[in-house]
Amino acid sequence: WSIGIALYSAHLFLRQNSISIFPGELKENKKTMGRLALAAITSLWVIPMSIIVNHIVPDPYMDEIFHVPQAQQYCNGNFSSWDPMITTPPGLYCLSLAHVASLFPGMLLMRTTSQLFSEACSASVLRSTNAVFAVLCGVLVYEIIRFLGPSLSDRKATLMALVMSLYPLHWFFTFLYYTDVASLTTFLAMYLACLRRRYILSAVFGTLAILIRQTNVVWMLFVACSGVLDFTLDSPRKMDKQKVNKDLHQSIDRKEATLRSNLRNRKPDNNLDTRDSFDRGKSVSSAEDTSGLVYDVYDVISTSWNMKWKILFKFSPFIVVVVAFGIFILWNGGIVLGAKEAHVVSPHFAQIMYFSLVSALFTAPLHFSVEQVRNLLQELRRNWPLSLLLTLVALVAGFASVHFFSLAHPYLLADNRHYPFYLWRKIINAHWLMKYMLVPVYVYSWFSILTLLAKTRSKIWVLVYFLATCAVLVPTPLIEFRYYTIPFYIFMLHSCVRSSGYTTWLLTGTIFVCINVFTMAMFLFRPFKWSHEDGVQRFIW
């Protein structure tokens, strides 16, 4: 498998990396080199770690005891068989079937399997599906970074993509047969296609993402909304409006310059009211800056209404998929496929608090630096009455969330193999006051995340992101950090973090590496046993 990746990478290099004297082709060659470098570097840790994990933990573990046998049923051609304990659709198993089929001829040639296709679907081979997805995921992150930040250097974009590939929740489950890595990869493919305005292809990847994990329908709606926002903001009508506003600002600036020149030639006791022109210029910019979310919503709605038929046509593939998913929910009687009694939709508002703090801690150099604290205080002082009101509302909502909507799922309380078990017992539940003392930290983390996003995105886009995150996390009764992966990646891709220096990214990467080394060492080398159950248990996210 590793030899195949190396040969294919060399083939791409020889075929695409021909030197050209044309600037456009040189730029494309650089991007190709960036992709290949990223894929090669990612493979350097994916391949050896996969070998180590499969050697020490050869048998299915934790949720793999459901996923691996189900995928093996598909390898046997038994597509009507279904384990009632599996909650997600069979998208990952179908992709694994295609992956094994692509490897099977080489496995026969190397004599690593018998003539039976079903015997090729071992746990290690099925896990390699996620290893391939991890490499593709890094390349997709690189492509999105280059699209959103075309002025970034190739070295900076490659570094950012490598650091994000080391995100602990994504990195750890690369080596196990879970749905997380495939879910993230298909989401990123859907998002990149939408950014490039290839909406049909984006909807196809979105369908695949939903077939891997149902909650991706929310992220498909987010991608569609983001696409509508970009589509309306770049419309000719909108561009004309922005041109009029720009001309108005330039006209006011010229009048101010003329007025200041005239004032220098006049006597000091002249009664001319000079504030009118200045205040008019200030009021225009102030209206543009402080009209805020309400103006953004009105502007997008009015522009979308004027372009409604064009938008409906462009984004009809998304609408078809969402309607089909709604029909599935009505037919299935809910969003979960199996084990419905253990995955009842519950209002777990504290979950979004946990997400903010976990994401902020993973990227502590961004959120808890002196500069970021200073920036947040400046934002609060800029419009302190409104900022004070929002802070009070956020604190009240936070206290209400942890008091009334802080759920302790039976799996959380009983399963000491997961890290949230210890965080719940040792930190959140250490004292009855502790969960309330953490609320200001939750609120600060959310303010920091949203402030960093608002520096590069519109207020309505930030609102859509927040609502999508809530729609995914709030109905989930179980505290699973794996569910935070997609919103975390969206934040990292779109916030002003892209403009951070190399030091910030290297510090963040160091934190990721340290966490990865710790969690993988605990998983591989600190097994333990339960007195009431046979078998070896291991620590896992």
Side-chain angles (χ1 to χ4, degrees), residues 73-114:
Q73 288 290 337
Y74 278 36
C75 288
N76 289 324
N78 190 4
F79 295 98
S80 61
S81 174
W82 186 257
D83 188 340
M85 292 301 295
I86 296 176
T87 63
T88 52
L92 177 62
Y93 316 133
C94 296
L95 292 173
S96 298
L97 196 62
H99 172 66
V100 176
S102 68
L103 296 179
F104 188 65
M107 296 172 71
L108 285 176
L109 184 64
M110 300 291 292
R111 297 183 179 180
T112 58
T113 185
S114 67

Side-chain angles (χ1 to χ4, degrees), residues 287-481:
E288 187 177 348
D289 293 339
T290 62
S291 56
L293 184 61
V294 176
Y295 176 79
D296 284 349
V297 172
Y298 170 78
D299 196 28
V300 169
I301 291 176
S302 61
T303 306
S304 300
W305 179 254
N306 293 329
M307 305 171 59
K308 54 184 178 293
W309 300 118
K310 193 173 183 179
I311 290 175
L312 284 174
F313 175 75
K314 288 285 187 181
F315 293 89
S316 57
F318 296 99
I319 298 173
V320 171
V321 176
V322 172
V323 170
F325 184 78
I327 295 172
F328 159 76
I329 291 178
L330 293 176
W331 171 79
N332 186 56
I335 192 172
V336 178
L337 267 70
K340 295 181 179 180
E341 66 284 350
H343 296 83
V344 179
V345 174
S346 306
H348 192 185
F349 287 96
Q351 185 88 269
I352 60 174
M353 301 295 174
Y354 306 147
F355 161 75
S356 66
L357 181 55
V358 169
S359 299
L361 289 176
F362 275 138
T363 52
L366 304 172
H367 298 283
F368 298 104
S369 64
V370 175
E371 181 182 359
Q372 177 62 6
V373 174
R374 187 187 302 116
N375 291 337
L376 283 177
L377 291 176
Q378 289 176 354
E379 290 290 334
L380 292 174
R381 284 198 299 265
R382 184 172 300 175
N383 191 1
W384 70 266
L386 180 60
S387 299
L388 180 61
L389 177 62
L390 290 176
T391 302
L392 291 175
V393 170
L395 288 172
V396 170
F399 284 118
S401 297
V402 299
H403 183 76
F404 296 106
F405 303 102
S406 182
L407 305 181
H409 195 278
Y411 290 176
L412 174 67
L413 300 177
D415 197 339
N416 66 341
R417 295 172 295 182
H418 292 280
Y419 291 114
F421 170 87
Y422 300 96
L423 295 174
W424 178 266
R425 291 187 61 187
K426 302 297 183 181
I427 298 178
I428 298 175
N429 237 25
H431 190 273
W432 70 270
L433 279 175
M434 192 62 185
K435 63 180 181 180
Y436 302 107
M437 294 172 63
L438 288 172
V439 169
V441 187
Y442 298 149
V443 172
Y444 171 85
S445 299
W446 259 122
F447 277 6
S448 181
I449 290 172
L450 297 180
T451 301
L452 291 172
L453 283 172
K455 289 182 178 181
T456 59
R457 305 298 298 181
S458 65
K459 293 182 178 65
I460 189 171
W461 189 96
V462 176
L463 176 63
V464 171
Y465 167 77
F466 177 75
L467 293 177
T469 303
C470 292
V472 171
L473 298 182
V474 170
T476 307
L478 185 62
I479 301 176
E480 279 274 17
F481 293 162

